[in-house]
Amino acid sequence: MSDSAPPTDLTEDRPVYVIGGGPGGLATAAALRARGVRAVVLEKSGDVGASWRNHYDRLRLHTTRRWSALPGLPIPRKFGRWVARDDVVRYLEKYAEHHELEVVTGVEVSRVDPAADGSGWRLSASGGRELTGRAVVVATGFNHTPKLPDWPGRETFTGELLHAARYRSAAPYAGRDVLVVGVGNTGAEIAVDLVEGGAARVRIAVRTAPFVVRRSTLGWPSQANGILIRRMPAFLVNRAGRLMSRVATPDLSAYGLPRPDAALHARIRQGAVPVLDVGLVDAVKRGRVEPVAAVESFDGDAVVLADGTRATPDVVIAATGYLRGLEPLVGHLGVLDERGRPRVRGTRAPKQAPGLYFTGFTNPISGMLRELARDAGKIAKRIARRPARSGR
């Protein structure tokens, strides 16, 4: 903490409750503390950074160390430019310690309601706890609940089917035939990991051709392009997307992975980001990862693809994304859209729910950790302006 930071009133009986002890929650709590506002982080697991602890072993940040640090503490240079999963966890642990954050682990918040007296919010939590706070920041994470499509015949599949959230390393799949479903960053990286880990055959099911770009070109990180693109009008974003796609990666159409025909700006608005190449292009060119059509259904030991062909893999790994999982928590407040996402987020609180904030529920092309860090300071500034007893 800076010596010039205002003292934090640890006796405040209605603190700001931050739900979630990941990067967004910790950053917001630190920013609030720096403004003298008591913030209590409620984390349902036993440690901060729980989602990072559960990611697959080879994961590294696709954003640079410099642009991934949270407010008030740089990521150590020794972690390298592309920080490994375990080092991200170490950093988050150090971050909570450095800022002396008030983190309560093993407490799961099940519901948020207006406080009975009309001032602040009541949180229902595990163990029969009822907590009242002046404001609430929901930071439960973008990757909250694994989404497994309800494919017809899924229950009949005689092979192994798992969501990518359960994948840790290639070791259990050595010598096996594996189909990865989904060619986002997670699916692409798992496919490469399987190849390098000795899987006998690796196919990747593609529904929508992705924009594939290099993580870095001549030292210039792709993240920098993402930051610039966020400030561009749609027609320039689309031009930049076409240029990046053609310059950064070869045409893989002959290998079953055509260039995308959709506009990049439309993809970004839908929440998709380009796939950063960490070996996929080379693996596809060498025939070690085989792109195939999207999965339509299952039939016993077979997977039926959209082009009518059938595959009989030993294992299917579904890199099919996540749900936000916010409905039980705040769905009754009318603050979510039809896809279960917060209607407003960042520094804006819903009109019908003043004092309720959301952070970390988008997948920005400029880098999630960078945007979480920026959101944290803005949310803290907004909350600090509100008197503790100003009402909802």
Side-chain angles (χ1 to χ4, degrees), residues 160-178:
E160 182 180 352
L161 171 63
L162 68 151
H163 190 274
R166 291 171 49 203
Y167 179 88
R168 293 295 175 269
S169 74
Y173 310 103
R176 304 176 75 185
D177 183 336
V178 185

Side-chain angles (χ1 to χ4, degrees), residues 1 6-7 24 42 59 84 90 98 103 144 147 179 218 222 254 276 283 296 313 353 357 375 378 384:
M1 295 292 293
L42 303 175
L59 178 66
R90 293 186 185 98
H98 175 79
V103 180
H144 185 274
K147 180 175 65 176
L179 172 66
L218 299 176
S222 176
L276 301 183
E296 288 294 310
Y357 300 87
D375 267 359
K378 295 174 183 177

